Amino acid sequence: MTEFELKQAKKIKRLTNKTFNFDTRIKDGFFTANYFLKTRQIAQANELGKDIMMQWFQRKDDVMLCGIDEVLALLKCFACNPENLEIYALNDGDIISAGEPVLKIRGSYSDFGFLESAIDAILARRSSVATNVMRILRVAGKKTVFSMADRQDDIATQIGDGYATRVAGIDLVSTDAQGLWWGGKGNGTMPHALVQMCGGDILKAANLYSNYFKDAKVTALVDYNNDVITDALKVANALGERLNGVRVDTSANLIDKYFNDKDCSGFDPHGVCKELIFALRQNLDKAGFNWVKIIVSSGFNAQKIADFEAHGTPVDIYGVGTSFVNNMTCGFTGDLVMLNGKDEAKFGRKNIASNRLEKVLLDQI
């Protein structure tokens, strides 16, 4: 088997192991900018663009590419005469630079040009999420990061975002939807709602959870009463080895009761601050609960995690949501760059050479 055939086989295996949930209205141009649809009609009526090449790129350095497999599946499902398309692409997970082509398609404009909007959107969304995750993992070092991005955007984004999250290196997600394309399952801790329904009694909530899910250790949410250390110790003493960890999710506009009689002039005590986590770890260890993990969430991004890690803050798991998905890191542009085998593009654009692009055979996928 040649090197190309080996790479192609790997790509086919990746694609056939996924089930992409496409809206069938894509075929009708429902999600396509109207002027692309009109251009397609003109091209068909006047026999234009029988042999064009379109290439996609973005304008940022150090971006993790994601969405290529999804785009290939899209083309196979909805392009007209997909077997006639000549396709070259990079791979999901590749690190790309500004101006680098990630995808080139040669064929009749009428066969695939109407998919430009969908391709742009897929590459932009998936690559942005993957890049955001990559940058957080870089600063988190060896610490575990948990994706809690299920509530930060339209639920329709969960499946693709979950896939992009995994491409970047995170398997721990909060919903089954996020894990659909790679077989992952949702995980999580108890919510504030359970504590609320127990009248704010964290111990009652933890016991109910433990007694119902007997095969799972409890990760208790301990910020409900804004008294993290008191409630963490209460749960640890009651549950013992049934307790896996405690999660601190203090809002950024609150100051935990631990600081009520403390001098906080040298730091900001709001929210989930480093000083609170150091104190929590110290008190758990002093009471003999050194195995209890500390999970933190609420407003964590790359900058805050980097600061926590730089100071050696004793965090075991970071829960991240908003900064994964509500931050569009990059946008992709598709341009026609060749006509009838010759260079032809709008001023400022050109067919960019690349020795990284790999040929894709859609009929084998």
Side-chain angles (χ1 to χ4, degrees):
M1 183 177 285
T2 66
E3 183 179 356
F4 165 71
E5 289 172 334
L6 182 61
K7 290 180 178 178
Q8 183 70 14
K10 289 180 179 178
K11 187 181 290 292
I12 292 168
K13 184 177 180 180
R14 287 202 316 271
L15 279 164
T16 53
N17 284 343
K18 302 186 189 76
T19 303
F20 295 99
N21 299 76
F22 293 125
D23 189 315
T24 56
R25 290 175 294 180
I26 291 172
K27 186 176 183 179
D28 301 322
F30 184 73
F31 297 97
T32 295
N34 186 259
Y35 58 84
F36 290 140
L37 299 178
K38 291 180 176 178
T39 298
R40 185 189 190 199
Q41 292 174 5
I42 294 171
Q44 289 174 324
N46 294 275
E47 297 190 351
L48 298 175
K50 292 289 189 179
D51 179 13
I52 60 95
M53 177 179 282
M54 184 177 288
Q55 77 177 5
W56 278 262
F57 74 95
Q58 55 83 52
R59 296 176 175 83
K60 300 286 182 63
D61 287 329
D62 193 32
V63 165
M64 178 174 282
L65 177 64
C66 190
I68 289 293
D69 283 3
E70 193 175 349
V71 166
L72 295 178
L74 180 88
L75 288 165
K76 184 173 177 64
C77 288
F78 298 120
C80 300
N81 308 305
E83 68 279 1
N84 294 335
L85 299 179
E86 186 176 329
I87 302 172
Y88 296 86
L90 295 184
N91 293 289
D92 287 344
D94 285 345
I95 304 302
I96 58 175
S97 303
E100 180 180 7
V102 303
L103 173 68
K104 293 188 181 186
I105 305 174
R106 183 174 181 178
S108 171
Y109 181 85
S110 297
D111 283 347
F112 73 94
F114 68 100
L115 296 173
E116 179 179 344
S117 295
I119 294 172
D120 286 346
I122 289 170
L123 293 176
R125 178 76 185 192
R126 306 296 176 248
S127 297
S128 291
V129 173
T131 301
N132 294 335
V133 173
M134 173 188 72
R135 292 175 180 174
I136 281 182
L137 287 177
R138 282 178 178 173
V139 297
K142 296 181 179 180
K143 301 293 180 63
T144 299
V145 178
F146 176 34
S147 174
M148 304 174 69
D150 56 281
R151 69 211 68 184
Q152 310 301 335
D153 211 327
D154 189 300
I155 59 171
T157 66
Q158 285 188 31
I159 298 173
D161 288 354
Y163 167 67
T165 298
R166 203 218 185 193
V167 166
I170 290 180
D171 288 338
L172 195 58
V173 294
S174 52
T175 69
D176 289 350
Q178 290 169 291
L180 180 64
W181 287 348
W182 47 275
K185 294 295 182 182
N187 296 271
T189 64
M190 69 172 64
H192 291 108
L194 181 58
V195 185
Q196 189 270 351
M197 288 186 287
C198 293
D201 187 338
I202 179 64
L203 188 53
K204 180 180 179 181
N207 273 316
L208 286 173
Y209 191 104
S210 179
N211 292 334
Y212 192 84
F213 297 103
K214 297 183 184 299
D215 295 331
K217 288 192 174 183
V218 178
T219 297
L221 190 58
V222 294
D223 64 278
Y224 184 90
N225 298 302
N226 200 37
D227 197 0
V228 162
I229 294 174
T230 298
D231 279 352
L233 290 173
K234 184 185 299 184
V235 173
N237 278 305
L239 268 63
E241 293 187 358
R242 289 185 295 159
L243 182 65
N244 171 66
V246 292
R247 176 177 153 220
V248 184
D249 189 56
T250 308
S251 172
N253 65 344
L254 297 176
I255 298 175
D256 191 88
K257 294 175 183 177
Y258 172 76
F259 297 114
N260 284 353
D261 57 352
K262 307 251 184 334
D263 179 11
C264 302
S265 57
F267 64 94
D268 182 0
H270 288 84
V272 186
C273 61
K274 298 186 295 292
E275 294 75 13
L276 179 60
I277 302 308
F278 273 111
L280 174 59
R281 181 76 273 164
Q282 182 180 25
N283 279 271
L284 284 170
D285 290 352
K286 185 177 179 180
F289 302 111
N290 60 331
W291 77 84
V292 174
K293 295 179 180 179
I294 297 178
I295 299 93
V296 296
S297 55
S298 186
F300 277 85
N301 54 27
Q303 182 179 359
K304 186 169 183 177
I305 292 174
D307 181 55
F308 267 49
E309 289 299 298
H311 289 86
T313 312
V315 171
D316 294 288
I317 299 175
Y318 291 101
V320 181
T322 301
S323 62
F324 279 168
V325 298
N326 282 0
N327 178 17
M328 290 301 288
T329 305
C330 58
F332 283 78
T333 295
D335 294 300
L336 301 186
V337 294
M338 291 186 71
L339 178 64
N340 300 323
K342 297 180 180 180
D343 288 344
E344 177 64 38
K346 76 173 186 178
F347 187 85
R349 302 290 167 83
K350 64 179 181 179
N351 182 26
I352 305 169
S354 171
N355 59 7
R356 296 217 294 162
L357 293 168
E358 300 172 2
K359 191 171 185 178
V360 178
L361 303 178
L362 276 189
D363 59 348
Q364 294 185 16
I365 295 173

